[in-house]
Amino acid sequence: MSESNTPSSTPKDKLIADIKQIVADADALLQATADQAGEKVAGLRTRLEANLKVASGRLAEFAAADVDKTRQDLRDALQKISDAANQAAEAASEAAQKAEDSVKKATESGKEAAQHAAEAARDAANKALNAITEMARKTKDAINK
């Protein structure tokens, strides 16, 4: 089974494989007819060689552009993930602050247990915030690589 007929290939992959096979076949034809004489054959060989060089170059350019586009799409996706993580971190921080403020109000009325709960809530919120911040940092680092 040729590369262009594998079930997991995309149409673009199949096209690239087909073009590579055409280039290889044309090159083989040039090699096989190298000893043929005549003006028509010589002219055809010259044109075919030139067209093969151009086609090979364009195929390489296409492949490089496709890789660059894929990389940029990945960077964009990672940036969106990083932005979402930062928003989540900000929301967690705000929630922790509100919880702490509520508990402080309760502790002012003399409830010692509420003070302990406030400290525990603050510690938990800070841990969550640190974890989210670290995830955002790692995501940004991955984008910049």
Side-chain angles (χ1 to χ4, degrees), residues 71-86:
R71 283 184 182 151
Q72 186 58 48
D73 289 346
L74 285 172
R75 283 187 191 107
D76 292 345
L78 287 171
Q79 184 62 49
K80 288 179 183 179
I81 291 168
S82 178
D83 292 346
N86 285 334

Side-chain angles (χ1 to χ4, degrees), residues 19 23 49-65:
I19 292 173
V23 169
E49 286 173 343
N51 288 334
L52 279 174
K53 285 180 184 176
V54 169
S56 293
R58 286 186 180 158
L59 186 59
E61 289 172 6
F62 174 77

Side-chain angles (χ1 to χ4, degrees), residues 58-141:
R58 286 186 180 158
L59 186 59
E61 289 172 6
F62 174 77
D66 190 45
V67 167
D68 289 343
K69 183 183 180 323
T70 301
R71 283 184 182 151
Q72 186 58 48
D73 289 346
L74 285 172
R75 283 187 191 107
D76 292 345
L78 287 171
Q79 184 62 49
K80 288 179 183 179
I81 291 168
S82 178
D83 292 346
N86 285 334
Q87 289 175 352
E90 289 174 15
S93 178
E94 289 175 14
Q97 184 63 47
K98 287 180 182 180
E100 187 175 354
D101 291 345
S102 295
V103 173
K104 280 183 181 179
K105 286 180 185 177
T107 59
E108 289 171 359
S109 66
K111 297 183 180 179
E112 187 175 311
Q115 177 64 34
H116 293 294
E119 291 171 6
R122 182 177 53 246
D123 290 345
N126 284 334
K127 285 180 183 178
L129 179 59
N130 289 339
I132 290 170
T133 303
E134 181 66 17
M135 182 181 72
R137 185 192 60 75
K138 287 180 180 178
T139 302
K140 281 189 176 183
D141 289 346

